[in-house]
Amino acid sequence: MISSVFDLEVNGITMGVHYWAPDGGDVVGVLQVAHGLAEHGGRYVGLADSLTQRGWVVAAGDHRGHGLTARSEADLGFFAERDGWNRVVEDVRTLQLHLRARHPDVPMVLLGHSMGSLLARDFAARYGQHLDGLVLSGSPRPEGLIGMAGR
């Protein structure tokens, strides 16, 4: 597996991107990861190791206020002064455009985990025509009867 980190200018900020690619051979697809709250893209190295062995590229941009994109402790967890959610969704789109330019002729799949699953669902509602697949993991849901009883 080839592993690298690069900076990508996205909508007025510099996003840190974790990027993993197969050692050789053809790329069969690209999996873009939208990570969860209070985590970072580097946590997906195990998934990347497994998928790159099967020919997939895996890329995980650290969202605003997370990982490499949080440039100071004061930035941790902070999206933006205004319209933060929409900015993060657009950041996901900018990274997707970058990945599509690098790998134009393969399927593009978006994986969203936890908070990232909410971002991915919003992204799919806006830009689903640009996805070949969507994977949602750990999506929050209404608490239901069991949750209400526990409260």
Side-chain angles (χ1 to χ4, degrees):
M1 171 175 71
I2 299 167
S3 178
S4 64
V5 174
F6 64 89
D7 286 336
L8 182 66
E9 296 301 316
V10 293
N11 310 305
I13 65 158
T14 301
M15 173 190 279
V17 179
H18 306 268
Y19 181 86
W20 302 279
D23 285 323
D26 293 330
V27 171
V28 300
V30 175
L31 178 74
Q32 179 180 353
V33 176
H35 65 74
L37 181 67
E39 65 170 0
H40 56 85
R43 292 191 61 211
Y44 293 83
V45 66
L47 175 64
D49 184 46
S50 178
L51 289 176
T52 57
Q53 292 177 38
R54 292 162 176 80
W56 284 80
V57 164
V58 178
D62 288 344
H63 303 308
R64 293 167 184 255
H66 295 78
L68 300 170
T69 306
R71 301 300 172 173
S72 72
E73 286 215 17
D75 291 339
L76 289 175
F78 181 72
F79 281 175
E81 288 287 337
R82 289 185 35 241
D83 205 28
W85 184 264
N86 287 321
R87 289 174 189 254
V88 175
V89 173
E90 293 306 315
D91 295 346
V92 171
R93 174 71 174 138
T94 301
L95 176 55
Q96 184 205 48
L97 291 170
H98 173 85
L99 295 169
R100 181 71 76 186
R102 283 178 83 164
H103 306 284
D105 299 320
V106 298
M108 177 71 61
V109 176
L110 178 60
L111 162 67
H113 174 67
S114 192
M115 176 194 74
S117 75
L118 299 176
L119 289 166
R121 289 177 356 186
D122 193 345
F123 180 93
R126 297 179 198 196
Y127 303 110
Q129 71 273 20
H130 301 290
L131 290 174
D132 297 296
L134 178 65
V135 179
L136 303 175
S137 166
S139 287
R141 62 176 181 79
E143 61 186 20
L145 287 175
I146 292 174
M148 288 188 299
R151 196 168 9 123

PDB file of all heavy atoms in Angstrom, residues 19-22 25-32 54-59 96-110 129-133:
ATOM      1  N   TYR A  19      -4.356   9.597   2.097  1.00  0.00           N
ATOM      2  CA  TYR A  19      -4.546   8.981   0.786  1.00  0.00           C
ATOM      3  C   TYR A  19      -3.780   7.665   0.735  1.00  0.00           C
ATOM      4  O   TYR A  19      -2.593   7.619   1.063  1.00  0.00           O
ATOM      5  CB  TYR A  19      -4.030   9.944  -0.285  1.00  0.00           C
ATOM      6  CG  TYR A  19      -4.171   9.461  -1.704  1.00  0.00           C
ATOM      7  CD1 TYR A  19      -5.345   9.666  -2.420  1.00  0.00           C
ATOM      8  CD2 TYR A  19      -3.108   8.827  -2.343  1.00  0.00           C
ATOM      9  CE1 TYR A  19      -5.471   9.241  -3.727  1.00  0.00           C
ATOM     10  CE2 TYR A  19      -3.224   8.400  -3.653  1.00  0.00           C
ATOM     11  CZ  TYR A  19      -4.400   8.615  -4.336  1.00  0.00           C
ATOM     12  OH  TYR A  19      -4.518   8.195  -5.636  1.00  0.00           O
ATOM     13  N   TRP A  20      -4.479   6.611   0.363  1.00  0.00           N
ATOM     14  CA  TRP A  20      -3.872   5.287   0.250  1.00  0.00           C
ATOM     15  C   TRP A  20      -4.187   4.715  -1.127  1.00  0.00           C
ATOM     16  O   TRP A  20      -5.321   4.802  -1.603  1.00  0.00           O
ATOM     17  CB  TRP A  20      -4.416   4.349   1.314  1.00  0.00           C
ATOM     18  CG  TRP A  20      -4.198   4.838   2.713  1.00  0.00           C
ATOM     19  CD1 TRP A  20      -3.050   4.720   3.452  1.00  0.00           C
ATOM     20  CD2 TRP A  20      -5.132   5.504   3.564  1.00  0.00           C
ATOM     21  NE1 TRP A  20      -3.222   5.262   4.701  1.00  0.00           N
ATOM     22  CE2 TRP A  20      -4.503   5.760   4.809  1.00  0.00           C
ATOM     23  CE3 TRP A  20      -6.456   5.919   3.410  1.00  0.00           C
ATOM     24  CZ2 TRP A  20      -5.127   6.394   5.859  1.00  0.00           C
ATOM     25  CZ3 TRP A  20      -7.087   6.562   4.461  1.00  0.00           C
ATOM     26  CH2 TRP A  20      -6.423   6.793   5.670  1.00  0.00           C
ATOM     27  N   ALA A  21      -3.176   4.117  -1.753  1.00  0.00           N
ATOM     28  CA  ALA A  21      -3.362   3.566  -3.092  1.00  0.00           C
ATOM     29  C   ALA A  21      -2.711   2.187  -3.173  1.00  0.00           C
ATOM     30  O   ALA A  21      -1.787   1.881  -2.408  1.00  0.00           O
ATOM     31  CB  ALA A  21      -2.754   4.506  -4.135  1.00  0.00           C
ATOM     32  N   PRO A  22      -3.178   1.368  -4.123  1.00  0.00           N
ATOM     33  CA  PRO A  22      -2.555   0.065  -4.316  1.00  0.00           C
ATOM     34  C   PRO A  22      -1.097   0.215  -4.744  1.00  0.00           C
ATOM     35  O   PRO A  22      -0.732   1.194  -5.390  1.00  0.00           O
ATOM     36  CB  PRO A  22      -3.377  -0.577  -5.438  1.00  0.00           C
ATOM     37  CG  PRO A  22      -4.590   0.258  -5.594  1.00  0.00           C
ATOM     38  CD  PRO A  22      -4.294   1.601  -5.033  1.00  0.00           C
ATOM     39  N   GLY A  25      -0.691  -2.186 -10.310  1.00  0.00           N
ATOM     40  CA  GLY A  25      -1.884  -2.663 -10.988  1.00  0.00           C
ATOM     41  C   GLY A  25      -2.915  -1.572 -11.187  1.00  0.00           C
ATOM     42  O   GLY A  25      -2.711  -0.409 -10.849  1.00  0.00           O
ATOM     43  N   ASP A  26      -4.026  -1.981 -11.740  1.00  0.00           N
ATOM     44  CA  ASP A  26      -5.084  -1.041 -12.052  1.00  0.00           C
ATOM     45  C   ASP A  26      -5.884  -0.679 -10.810  1.00  0.00           C
ATOM     46  O   ASP A  26      -6.112  -1.508  -9.936  1.00  0.00           O
ATOM     47  CB  ASP A  26      -6.040  -1.639 -13.087  1.00  0.00           C
ATOM     48  CG  ASP A  26      -5.382  -1.838 -14.437  1.00  0.00           C
ATOM     49  OD1 ASP A  26      -4.466  -1.064 -14.769  1.00  0.00           O
ATOM     50  OD2 ASP A  26      -5.783  -2.768 -15.152  1.00  0.00           O
ATOM     51  N   VAL A  27      -6.328   0.562 -10.757  1.00  0.00           N
ATOM     52  CA  VAL A  27      -7.243   1.022  -9.711  1.00  0.00           C
ATOM     53  C   VAL A  27      -8.648   0.625 -10.144  1.00  0.00           C
ATOM     54  O   VAL A  27      -9.073   0.917 -11.264  1.00  0.00           O
ATOM     55  CB  VAL A  27      -7.134   2.547  -9.515  1.00  0.00           C
ATOM     56  CG1 VAL A  27      -8.231   3.065  -8.595  1.00  0.00           C
ATOM     57  CG2 VAL A  27      -5.757   2.915  -8.972  1.00  0.00           C
ATOM     58  N   VAL A  28      -9.365  -0.083  -9.262  1.00  0.00           N
ATOM     59  CA  VAL A  28     -10.718  -0.547  -9.599  1.00  0.00           C
ATOM     60  C   VAL A  28     -11.799   0.405  -9.107  1.00  0.00           C
ATOM     61  O   VAL A  28     -12.938   0.333  -9.557  1.00  0.00           O
ATOM     62  CB  VAL A  28     -10.992  -1.972  -9.076  1.00  0.00           C
ATOM     63  CG1 VAL A  28     -10.005  -2.961  -9.684  1.00  0.00           C
ATOM     64  CG2 VAL A  28     -10.957  -2.035  -7.564  1.00  0.00           C
ATOM     65  N   GLY A  29     -11.464   1.289  -8.170  1.00  0.00           N
ATOM     66  CA  GLY A  29     -12.440   2.231  -7.648  1.00  0.00           C
ATOM     67  C   GLY A  29     -11.809   3.126  -6.611  1.00  0.00           C
ATOM     68  O   GLY A  29     -10.686   2.898  -6.161  1.00  0.00           O
ATOM     69  N   VAL A  30     -12.553   4.166  -6.242  1.00  0.00           N
ATOM     70  CA  VAL A  30     -12.124   5.113  -5.216  1.00  0.00           C
ATOM     71  C   VAL A  30     -13.173   5.140  -4.118  1.00  0.00           C
ATOM     72  O   VAL A  30     -14.366   5.302  -4.398  1.00  0.00           O
ATOM     73  CB  VAL A  30     -11.942   6.535  -5.789  1.00  0.00           C
ATOM     74  CG1 VAL A  30     -11.620   7.531  -4.686  1.00  0.00           C
ATOM     75  CG2 VAL A  30     -10.863   6.556  -6.867  1.00  0.00           C
ATOM     76  N   LEU A  31     -12.722   4.955  -2.879  1.00  0.00           N
ATOM     77  CA  LEU A  31     -13.592   5.092  -1.713  1.00  0.00           C
ATOM     78  C   LEU A  31     -13.185   6.364  -0.982  1.00  0.00           C
ATOM     79  O   LEU A  31     -12.053   6.482  -0.517  1.00  0.00           O
ATOM     80  CB  LEU A  31     -13.460   3.900  -0.765  1.00  0.00           C
ATOM     81  CG  LEU A  31     -14.308   4.023   0.505  1.00  0.00           C
ATOM     82  CD1 LEU A  31     -15.785   3.796   0.172  1.00  0.00           C
ATOM     83  CD2 LEU A  31     -13.850   3.050   1.565  1.00  0.00           C
ATOM     84  N   GLN A  32     -14.089   7.315  -0.915  1.00  0.00           N
ATOM     85  CA  GLN A  32     -13.871   8.547  -0.160  1.00  0.00           C
ATOM     86  C   GLN A  32     -14.559   8.393   1.187  1.00  0.00           C
ATOM     87  O   GLN A  32     -15.724   8.015   1.251  1.00  0.00           O
ATOM     88  CB  GLN A  32     -14.432   9.750  -0.917  1.00  0.00           C
ATOM     89  CG  GLN A  32     -14.256  11.054  -0.189  1.00  0.00           C
ATOM     90  CD  GLN A  32     -14.833  12.241  -0.956  1.00  0.00           C
ATOM     91  OE1 GLN A  32     -15.259  12.105  -2.102  1.00  0.00           O
ATOM     92  NE2 GLN A  32     -14.848  13.399  -0.335  1.00  0.00           N
ATOM     93  N   ARG A  54      -7.089  -4.911  -2.784  1.00  0.00           N
ATOM     94  CA  ARG A  54      -8.083  -5.317  -3.777  1.00  0.00           C
ATOM     95  C   ARG A  54      -8.196  -4.303  -4.915  1.00  0.00           C
ATOM     96  O   ARG A  54      -9.148  -4.344  -5.695  1.00  0.00           O
ATOM     97  CB  ARG A  54      -9.431  -5.505  -3.093  1.00  0.00           C
ATOM     98  CG  ARG A  54      -9.443  -6.703  -2.150  1.00  0.00           C
ATOM     99  CD  ARG A  54     -10.596  -6.652  -1.167  1.00  0.00           C
ATOM    100  NE  ARG A  54     -10.655  -7.836  -0.336  1.00  0.00           N
ATOM    101  CZ  ARG A  54      -9.888  -8.040   0.743  1.00  0.00           C
ATOM    102  NH1 ARG A  54      -8.996  -7.151   1.106  1.00  0.00           N
ATOM    103  NH2 ARG A  54     -10.004  -9.148   1.448  1.00  0.00           N
ATOM    104  N   GLY A  55      -7.244  -3.355  -4.965  1.00  0.00           N
ATOM    105  CA  GLY A  55      -7.200  -2.412  -6.080  1.00  0.00           C
ATOM    106  C   GLY A  55      -7.901  -1.087  -5.871  1.00  0.00           C
ATOM    107  O   GLY A  55      -7.991  -0.281  -6.789  1.00  0.00           O
ATOM    108  N   TRP A  56      -8.397  -0.843  -4.662  1.00  0.00           N
ATOM    109  CA  TRP A  56      -9.109   0.408  -4.381  1.00  0.00           C
ATOM    110  C   TRP A  56      -8.163   1.485  -3.873  1.00  0.00           C
ATOM    111  O   TRP A  56      -7.240   1.207  -3.119  1.00  0.00           O
ATOM    112  CB  TRP A  56     -10.195   0.178  -3.328  1.00  0.00           C
ATOM    113  CG  TRP A  56     -11.396  -0.511  -3.880  1.00  0.00           C
ATOM    114  CD1 TRP A  56     -11.534  -1.849  -4.119  1.00  0.00           C
ATOM    115  CD2 TRP A  56     -12.613   0.100  -4.284  1.00  0.00           C
ATOM    116  NE1 TRP A  56     -12.772  -2.104  -4.645  1.00  0.00           N
ATOM    117  CE2 TRP A  56     -13.454  -0.930  -4.753  1.00  0.00           C
ATOM    118  CE3 TRP A  56     -13.078   1.411  -4.281  1.00  0.00           C
ATOM    119  CZ2 TRP A  56     -14.738  -0.675  -5.238  1.00  0.00           C
ATOM    120  CZ3 TRP A  56     -14.362   1.656  -4.745  1.00  0.00           C
ATOM    121  CH2 TRP A  56     -15.175   0.624  -5.219  1.00  0.00           C
ATOM    122  N   VAL A  57      -8.440   2.710  -4.263  1.00  0.00           N
ATOM    123  CA  VAL A  57      -7.846   3.891  -3.647  1.00  0.00           C
ATOM    124  C   VAL A  57      -8.785   4.301  -2.528  1.00  0.00           C
ATOM    125  O   VAL A  57     -10.011   4.263  -2.684  1.00  0.00           O
ATOM    126  CB  VAL A  57      -7.706   5.041  -4.672  1.00  0.00           C
ATOM    127  CG1 VAL A  57      -7.462   6.377  -3.983  1.00  0.00           C
ATOM    128  CG2 VAL A  57      -6.595   4.734  -5.659  1.00  0.00           C
ATOM    129  N   VAL A  58      -8.230   4.698  -1.381  1.00  0.00           N
ATOM    130  CA  VAL A  58      -9.028   5.194  -0.259  1.00  0.00           C
ATOM    131  C   VAL A  58      -8.497   6.567   0.111  1.00  0.00           C
ATOM    132  O   VAL A  58      -7.281   6.758   0.244  1.00  0.00           O
ATOM    133  CB  VAL A  58      -8.948   4.240   0.958  1.00  0.00           C
ATOM    134  CG1 VAL A  58      -9.754   4.798   2.133  1.00  0.00           C
ATOM    135  CG2 VAL A  58      -9.439   2.840   0.583  1.00  0.00           C
ATOM    136  N   ALA A  59      -9.399   7.526   0.268  1.00  0.00           N
ATOM    137  CA  ALA A  59      -9.015   8.885   0.651  1.00  0.00           C
ATOM    138  C   ALA A  59      -9.957   9.385   1.730  1.00  0.00           C
ATOM    139  O   ALA A  59     -11.176   9.203   1.634  1.00  0.00           O
ATOM    140  CB  ALA A  59      -9.049   9.822  -0.551  1.00  0.00           C
ATOM    141  N   GLN A  96     -14.004  15.261  -3.614  1.00  0.00           N
ATOM    142  CA  GLN A  96     -14.478  14.306  -4.606  1.00  0.00           C
ATOM    143  C   GLN A  96     -14.060  14.723  -6.015  1.00  0.00           C
ATOM    144  O   GLN A  96     -13.608  13.896  -6.810  1.00  0.00           O
ATOM    145  CB  GLN A  96     -15.997  14.154  -4.548  1.00  0.00           C
ATOM    146  CG  GLN A  96     -16.474  13.078  -5.510  1.00  0.00           C
ATOM    147  CD  GLN A  96     -17.895  13.242  -5.962  1.00  0.00           C
ATOM    148  OE1 GLN A  96     -18.306  14.326  -6.370  1.00  0.00           O
ATOM    149  NE2 GLN A  96     -18.649  12.174  -5.884  1.00  0.00           N
ATOM    150  N   LEU A  97     -14.168  16.004  -6.328  1.00  0.00           N
ATOM    151  CA  LEU A  97     -13.756  16.490  -7.647  1.00  0.00           C
ATOM    152  C   LEU A  97     -12.261  16.256  -7.874  1.00  0.00           C
ATOM    153  O   LEU A  97     -11.840  15.873  -8.973  1.00  0.00           O
ATOM    154  CB  LEU A  97     -14.100  17.971  -7.801  1.00  0.00           C
ATOM    155  CG  LEU A  97     -15.588  18.291  -7.899  1.00  0.00           C
ATOM    156  CD1 LEU A  97     -15.809  19.794  -7.805  1.00  0.00           C
ATOM    157  CD2 LEU A  97     -16.185  17.730  -9.180  1.00  0.00           C
ATOM    158  N   HIS A  98     -11.463  16.469  -6.842  1.00  0.00           N
ATOM    159  CA  HIS A  98     -10.024  16.224  -6.920  1.00  0.00           C
ATOM    160  C   HIS A  98      -9.751  14.739  -7.193  1.00  0.00           C
ATOM    161  O   HIS A  98      -8.943  14.393  -8.060  1.00  0.00           O
ATOM    162  CB  HIS A  98      -9.351  16.673  -5.617  1.00  0.00           C
ATOM    163  CG  HIS A  98      -7.912  16.314  -5.548  1.00  0.00           C
ATOM    164  ND1 HIS A  98      -6.931  17.106  -6.108  1.00  0.00           N
ATOM    165  CD2 HIS A  98      -7.283  15.244  -5.003  1.00  0.00           C
ATOM    166  CE1 HIS A  98      -5.751  16.534  -5.909  1.00  0.00           C
ATOM    167  NE2 HIS A  98      -5.932  15.407  -5.235  1.00  0.00           N
ATOM    168  N   LEU A  99     -10.432  13.873  -6.456  1.00  0.00           N
ATOM    169  CA  LEU A  99     -10.236  12.434  -6.622  1.00  0.00           C
ATOM    170  C   LEU A  99     -10.705  11.973  -8.001  1.00  0.00           C
ATOM    171  O   LEU A  99     -10.072  11.125  -8.633  1.00  0.00           O
ATOM    172  CB  LEU A  99     -10.962  11.670  -5.519  1.00  0.00           C
ATOM    173  CG  LEU A  99     -10.435  11.906  -4.105  1.00  0.00           C
ATOM    174  CD1 LEU A  99     -11.395  11.323  -3.077  1.00  0.00           C
ATOM    175  CD2 LEU A  99      -9.024  11.334  -3.948  1.00  0.00           C
ATOM    176  N   ARG A 100     -11.807  12.521  -8.468  1.00  0.00           N
ATOM    177  CA  ARG A 100     -12.328  12.160  -9.797  1.00  0.00           C
ATOM    178  C   ARG A 100     -11.337  12.578 -10.883  1.00  0.00           C
ATOM    179  O   ARG A 100     -11.130  11.849 -11.856  1.00  0.00           O
ATOM    180  CB  ARG A 100     -13.687  12.815 -10.011  1.00  0.00           C
ATOM    181  CG  ARG A 100     -14.352  12.507 -11.324  1.00  0.00           C
ATOM    182  CD  ARG A 100     -14.867  11.112 -11.462  1.00  0.00           C
ATOM    183  NE  ARG A 100     -16.096  10.925 -10.708  1.00  0.00           N
ATOM    184  CZ  ARG A 100     -16.674   9.749 -10.576  1.00  0.00           C
ATOM    185  NH1 ARG A 100     -16.151   8.679 -11.133  1.00  0.00           N
ATOM    186  NH2 ARG A 100     -17.768   9.618  -9.879  1.00  0.00           N
ATOM    187  N   ALA A 101     -10.684  13.733 -10.704  1.00  0.00           N
ATOM    188  CA  ALA A 101      -9.686  14.176 -11.681  1.00  0.00           C
ATOM    189  C   ALA A 101      -8.472  13.235 -11.690  1.00  0.00           C
ATOM    190  O   ALA A 101      -7.902  12.964 -12.748  1.00  0.00           O
ATOM    191  CB  ALA A 101      -9.252  15.604 -11.384  1.00  0.00           C
ATOM    192  N   ARG A 102      -8.090  12.724 -10.526  1.00  0.00           N
ATOM    193  CA  ARG A 102      -6.952  11.797 -10.432  1.00  0.00           C
ATOM    194  C   ARG A 102      -7.297  10.407 -10.952  1.00  0.00           C
ATOM    195  O   ARG A 102      -6.422   9.699 -11.446  1.00  0.00           O
ATOM    196  CB  ARG A 102      -6.489  11.664  -8.981  1.00  0.00           C
ATOM    197  CG  ARG A 102      -5.681  12.835  -8.492  1.00  0.00           C
ATOM    198  CD  ARG A 102      -5.268  12.697  -7.051  1.00  0.00           C
ATOM    199  NE  ARG A 102      -4.065  11.894  -6.878  1.00  0.00           N
ATOM    200  CZ  ARG A 102      -3.339  11.889  -5.754  1.00  0.00           C
ATOM    201  NH1 ARG A 102      -3.689  12.652  -4.721  1.00  0.00           N
ATOM    202  NH2 ARG A 102      -2.267  11.138  -5.671  1.00  0.00           N
ATOM    203  N   HIS A 103      -8.558  10.021 -10.806  1.00  0.00           N
ATOM    204  CA  HIS A 103      -9.004   8.666 -11.184  1.00  0.00           C
ATOM    205  C   HIS A 103     -10.336   8.785 -11.937  1.00  0.00           C
ATOM    206  O   HIS A 103     -11.395   8.439 -11.400  1.00  0.00           O
ATOM    207  CB  HIS A 103      -9.163   7.799  -9.932  1.00  0.00           C
ATOM    208  CG  HIS A 103      -7.939   7.748  -9.079  1.00  0.00           C
ATOM    209  ND1 HIS A 103      -6.831   7.002  -9.405  1.00  0.00           N
ATOM    210  CD2 HIS A 103      -7.645   8.384  -7.911  1.00  0.00           C
ATOM    211  CE1 HIS A 103      -5.903   7.169  -8.470  1.00  0.00           C
ATOM    212  NE2 HIS A 103      -6.372   7.995  -7.566  1.00  0.00           N
ATOM    213  N   PRO A 104     -10.281   9.251 -13.190  1.00  0.00           N
ATOM    214  CA  PRO A 104     -11.525   9.608 -13.881  1.00  0.00           C
ATOM    215  C   PRO A 104     -12.404   8.454 -14.336  1.00  0.00           C
ATOM    216  O   PRO A 104     -13.602   8.646 -14.517  1.00  0.00           O
ATOM    217  CB  PRO A 104     -11.023  10.402 -15.094  1.00  0.00           C
ATOM    218  CG  PRO A 104      -9.637   9.903 -15.328  1.00  0.00           C
ATOM    219  CD  PRO A 104      -9.090   9.555 -13.973  1.00  0.00           C
ATOM    220  N   ASP A 105     -11.868   7.280 -14.511  1.00  0.00           N
ATOM    221  CA  ASP A 105     -12.635   6.224 -15.165  1.00  0.00           C
ATOM    222  C   ASP A 105     -12.969   5.043 -14.267  1.00  0.00           C
ATOM    223  O   ASP A 105     -13.135   3.922 -14.755  1.00  0.00           O
ATOM    224  CB  ASP A 105     -11.861   5.734 -16.395  1.00  0.00           C
ATOM    225  CG  ASP A 105     -11.656   6.851 -17.409  1.00  0.00           C
ATOM    226  OD1 ASP A 105     -12.599   7.639 -17.613  1.00  0.00           O
ATOM    227  OD2 ASP A 105     -10.550   6.946 -17.972  1.00  0.00           O
ATOM    228  N   VAL A 106     -13.060   5.286 -12.958  1.00  0.00           N
ATOM    229  CA  VAL A 106     -13.388   4.199 -12.034  1.00  0.00           C
ATOM    230  C   VAL A 106     -14.570   4.624 -11.162  1.00  0.00           C
ATOM    231  O   VAL A 106     -14.855   5.807 -11.017  1.00  0.00           O
ATOM    232  CB  VAL A 106     -12.171   3.816 -11.150  1.00  0.00           C
ATOM    233  CG1 VAL A 106     -11.014   3.315 -12.006  1.00  0.00           C
ATOM    234  CG2 VAL A 106     -11.734   4.964 -10.265  1.00  0.00           C
ATOM    235  N   PRO A 107     -15.259   3.663 -10.560  1.00  0.00           N
ATOM    236  CA  PRO A 107     -16.378   4.006  -9.670  1.00  0.00           C
ATOM    237  C   PRO A 107     -15.929   4.861  -8.480  1.00  0.00           C
ATOM    238  O   PRO A 107     -14.827   4.680  -7.954  1.00  0.00           O
ATOM    239  CB  PRO A 107     -16.884   2.645  -9.189  1.00  0.00           C
ATOM    240  CG  PRO A 107     -16.424   1.672 -10.220  1.00  0.00           C
ATOM    241  CD  PRO A 107     -15.116   2.212 -10.729  1.00  0.00           C
ATOM    242  N   MET A 108     -16.799   5.759  -8.070  1.00  0.00           N
ATOM    243  CA  MET A 108     -16.569   6.646  -6.926  1.00  0.00           C
ATOM    244  C   MET A 108     -17.616   6.310  -5.873  1.00  0.00           C
ATOM    245  O   MET A 108     -18.824   6.420  -6.124  1.00  0.00           O
ATOM    246  CB  MET A 108     -16.703   8.104  -7.353  1.00  0.00           C
ATOM    247  CG  MET A 108     -16.551   9.121  -6.258  1.00  0.00           C
ATOM    248  SD  MET A 108     -14.874   9.318  -5.625  1.00  0.00           S
ATOM    249  CE  MET A 108     -13.993   9.846  -7.080  1.00  0.00           C
ATOM    250  N   VAL A 109     -17.144   5.881  -4.692  1.00  0.00           N
ATOM    251  CA  VAL A 109     -18.033   5.496  -3.597  1.00  0.00           C
ATOM    252  C   VAL A 109     -17.730   6.393  -2.403  1.00  0.00           C
ATOM    253  O   VAL A 109     -16.573   6.670  -2.096  1.00  0.00           O
ATOM    254  CB  VAL A 109     -17.820   4.007  -3.218  1.00  0.00           C
ATOM    255  CG1 VAL A 109     -18.670   3.621  -2.024  1.00  0.00           C
ATOM    256  CG2 VAL A 109     -18.131   3.113  -4.413  1.00  0.00           C
ATOM    257  N   LEU A 110     -18.773   6.839  -1.724  1.00  0.00           N
ATOM    258  CA  LEU A 110     -18.629   7.654  -0.520  1.00  0.00           C
ATOM    259  C   LEU A 110     -19.059   6.836   0.684  1.00  0.00           C
ATOM    260  O   LEU A 110     -20.157   6.274   0.703  1.00  0.00           O
ATOM    261  CB  LEU A 110     -19.477   8.927  -0.624  1.00  0.00           C
ATOM    262  CG  LEU A 110     -19.473   9.874   0.573  1.00  0.00           C
ATOM    263  CD1 LEU A 110     -18.062  10.389   0.881  1.00  0.00           C
ATOM    264  CD2 LEU A 110     -20.428  11.039   0.325  1.00  0.00           C
ATOM    265  N   GLN A 129     -25.882  12.158  -8.162  1.00  0.00           N
ATOM    266  CA  GLN A 129     -25.627  11.779  -9.555  1.00  0.00           C
ATOM    267  C   GLN A 129     -24.137  11.600  -9.827  1.00  0.00           C
ATOM    268  O   GLN A 129     -23.754  11.004 -10.829  1.00  0.00           O
ATOM    269  CB  GLN A 129     -26.247  12.796 -10.525  1.00  0.00           C
ATOM    270  CG  GLN A 129     -25.540  14.145 -10.560  1.00  0.00           C
ATOM    271  CD  GLN A 129     -26.028  15.144  -9.511  1.00  0.00           C
ATOM    272  OE1 GLN A 129     -26.626  14.783  -8.504  1.00  0.00           O
ATOM    273  NE2 GLN A 129     -25.776  16.424  -9.760  1.00  0.00           N
ATOM    274  N   HIS A 130     -23.277  12.074  -8.923  1.00  0.00           N
ATOM    275  CA  HIS A 130     -21.833  11.948  -9.087  1.00  0.00           C
ATOM    276  C   HIS A 130     -21.253  10.782  -8.292  1.00  0.00           C
ATOM    277  O   HIS A 130     -20.037  10.631  -8.220  1.00  0.00           O
ATOM    278  CB  HIS A 130     -21.135  13.245  -8.680  1.00  0.00           C
ATOM    279  CG  HIS A 130     -21.592  14.425  -9.479  1.00  0.00           C
ATOM    280  ND1 HIS A 130     -21.289  14.578 -10.811  1.00  0.00           N
ATOM    281  CD2 HIS A 130     -22.355  15.487  -9.134  1.00  0.00           C
ATOM    282  CE1 HIS A 130     -21.837  15.690 -11.255  1.00  0.00           C
ATOM    283  NE2 HIS A 130     -22.491  16.260 -10.259  1.00  0.00           N
ATOM    284  N   LEU A 131     -22.117   9.980  -7.685  1.00  0.00           N
ATOM    285  CA  LEU A 131     -21.677   8.817  -6.907  1.00  0.00           C
ATOM    286  C   LEU A 131     -22.069   7.526  -7.605  1.00  0.00           C
ATOM    287  O   LEU A 131     -23.149   7.429  -8.191  1.00  0.00           O
ATOM    288  CB  LEU A 131     -22.332   8.822  -5.517  1.00  0.00           C
ATOM    289  CG  LEU A 131     -21.886   9.878  -4.533  1.00  0.00           C
ATOM    290  CD1 LEU A 131     -22.752   9.824  -3.275  1.00  0.00           C
ATOM    291  CD2 LEU A 131     -20.420   9.694  -4.182  1.00  0.00           C
ATOM    292  N   ASP A 132     -21.201   6.539  -7.472  1.00  0.00           N
ATOM    293  CA  ASP A 132     -21.524   5.195  -7.948  1.00  0.00           C
ATOM    294  C   ASP A 132     -21.953   4.296  -6.800  1.00  0.00           C
ATOM    295  O   ASP A 132     -22.472   3.205  -7.021  1.00  0.00           O
ATOM    296  CB  ASP A 132     -20.308   4.595  -8.663  1.00  0.00           C
ATOM    297  CG  ASP A 132     -19.947   5.404  -9.894  1.00  0.00           C
ATOM    298  OD1 ASP A 132     -20.765   5.460 -10.822  1.00  0.00           O
ATOM    299  OD2 ASP A 132     -18.858   6.004  -9.907  1.00  0.00           O
ATOM    300  N   GLY A 133     -21.720   4.754  -5.565  1.00  0.00           N
ATOM    301  CA  GLY A 133     -22.128   3.991  -4.397  1.00  0.00           C
ATOM    302  C   GLY A 133     -22.078   4.849  -3.151  1.00  0.00           C
ATOM    303  O   GLY A 133     -21.347   5.850  -3.098  1.00  0.00           O
TER     304      GLY A 133
END
